[in-house]
Amino acid sequence: MTEGGVLKPRFYTCGCFTTDNLFLEDFKLHVRFVSEEQFRLEYHTLLQKLGCVTEQQFEDVRNKISLEVDRRRRLGVTSAERAAAIKDSYRPLHPHVYRLQDSFLAPQFKQMVEYSRSGDATEAGLLELLDKEAAPRVYHFPVFQKTFCDELVEELEHFERSAAPKGRPNTMNHYGILLNELGFDEGFITPLRERYLRPLTTLLYPDCGGRCLDSHKAFAVKYDMKEDLDLSYHYDNAEVTLNVSLGKEFTEGNLYFGDMRQVPVSETECSEVAHRVSEGLLHRGQHMHGALPIASGQRWNLIVWMRASRERNRLCPMCNRRPSLVEDQGFADGFTGAPEAPPGTPCVLT
């Protein structure tokens, strides 16, 4: 596939997207659904222990899963349809926020990026410019100016109030916005990833694809006293994640980090991390984490899941199997063609 004479990769989704990591909100449980027989065999006893005791309750769970599987199968087409409708009907409140500008960025963040781009940059040198680790290999630092955060939240709220169609980020976040559908990918998120974040991740996460992040999924999530209050313990479909607190006024709602997803929960101790407006948390996508309930007010967060096809082409991070590729639109889930062995060190549990 070419664009402007430049060869562009075609991105794919793994077939496990429709079967694995289905989240049952009522039971705070991620499940896999291939068939009713498999699902009953693997989860019936566990669901009974969690309160799903009658056959009707079990049937209700199965029906919810069927609806979610169907939604995922149609996701690429429906997302493209929404994006086209938004482009035709929605008029932005702050058009300038859709294109990344240097003036939007915090001075410390620009200093870190400038150092990371230099020829003699090292991980140790970058760490000297960072605040203390929030948790093992979790880094927090200012990303945006507060004035930009305010304008971005105003834009997101303006879109929320509009009649334009809206897709939600995932099954865990019911109130939020897919930023690619709103038109942020080309002018904002892609240059943010390529020009500013990848120099940092190259030094901080070389073992987890940080050198070769070539796609992303970006969305905003909202926490409100009358809507979503928190976010359950989970890991991301990403090699590296950036989570920026945009505002508004809120209390409590800190994030917490455990261990990598391969470590049993029974062996994990969590660290609580304060998340302040305009600051970002950068972490490995497979690092288990969650968000505690807010106690008052409303909070918006910008989430960027960054993917490295060289890593995930070999092993899908969501199903731990060689990916079965399914054609999709846009960046899809970050897989590119036939899996191949990448140069350098493979991603390991670190």
Side-chain angles (χ1 to χ4, degrees), residues 24-251:
L24 302 180
E25 183 178 13
D26 293 340
F27 305 99
K28 306 299 182 186
L29 181 67
H30 285 87
V31 299
R32 182 168 186 259
F33 186 93
V34 177
S35 67
E36 184 170 356
E37 181 181 6
Q38 164 267 331
F39 182 73
R40 184 178 293 272
L41 182 65
E42 293 185 18
Y43 297 106
H44 190 257
T45 301
L46 176 57
L47 284 169
Q48 283 184 320
K49 292 179 180 178
L50 295 174
C52 180
V53 294
T54 69
E55 189 60 30
Q56 183 58 54
Q57 288 175 315
F58 189 83
E59 182 66 15
D60 290 343
V61 169
R62 194 193 65 79
N63 288 336
K64 287 182 180 180
I65 290 175
S66 295
L67 289 172
E68 174 59 17
V69 169
D70 185 58
R71 184 192 71 85
R72 293 187 181 194
R73 285 174 176 158
R74 296 182 289 105
L75 192 59
V77 173
T78 55
S79 180
E81 291 173 347
R82 281 195 302 267
I86 291 168
K87 186 176 181 180
D88 286 342
S89 65
Y90 177 67
R91 297 296 174 263
L93 177 66
H94 297 306
H96 65 281
V97 302
Y98 288 77
R99 299 199 68 84
L100 183 63
Q101 301 175 36
D102 193 64
S103 60
F104 295 167
L105 304 174
Q108 182 182 342
F109 180 58
K110 289 189 284 188
Q111 181 187 15
M112 291 162 47
V113 173
E114 182 179 4
Y115 171 79
S116 299
R117 289 172 175 167
S118 64
D120 57 353
T122 64
E123 179 185 7
L126 176 57
L127 291 176
E128 291 181 3
L129 300 176
L130 284 163
D131 296 330
K132 183 180 177 181
E133 285 183 322
R137 300 188 74 184
V138 177
Y139 306 100
H140 64 97
F141 47 85
V143 176
F144 297 120
Q145 299 278 11
K146 177 64 165 55
T147 51
F148 167 74
C149 292
D150 292 342
E151 288 189 326
L152 181 54
V153 169
E154 288 175 1
E155 179 64 37
L156 296 174
E157 291 182 328
H158 182 254
F159 175 69
E160 279 283 274
R161 291 191 297 269
S162 76
K166 300 167 182 71
R168 299 311 181 187
N170 49 62
T171 54
M172 298 181 72
N173 296 113
H174 303 99
Y175 301 92
I177 296 168
L178 290 163
L179 294 179
N180 66 305
E181 294 183 0
L182 191 49
F184 276 90
D185 256 6
E186 182 177 356
F188 192 102
I189 302 297
T190 294
L192 178 66
R193 169 175 54 82
E194 293 181 345
R195 300 176 196 168
Y196 295 93
L197 294 173
R198 194 159 59 193
L200 304 182
T201 61
T202 294
L203 296 176
L204 296 174
Y205 304 112
D207 54 335
C208 294
R211 292 190 179 98
C212 49
L213 299 171
D214 54 358
S215 69
H216 60 261
K217 176 179 178 178
F219 51 95
V221 296
K222 182 174 65 168
Y223 301 92
D224 187 278
M225 296 304 296
K226 297 180 181 179
E227 299 172 344
D228 286 340
L229 292 175
D230 57 6
L231 187 61
S232 298
Y233 198 50
H234 68 285
Y235 60 91
D236 299 336
N237 185 3
E239 274 62 70
V240 182
T241 295
L242 176 70
N243 182 334
V244 183
S245 177
L246 299 175
K248 302 164 60 175
E249 297 294 331
F250 60 91
T251 57

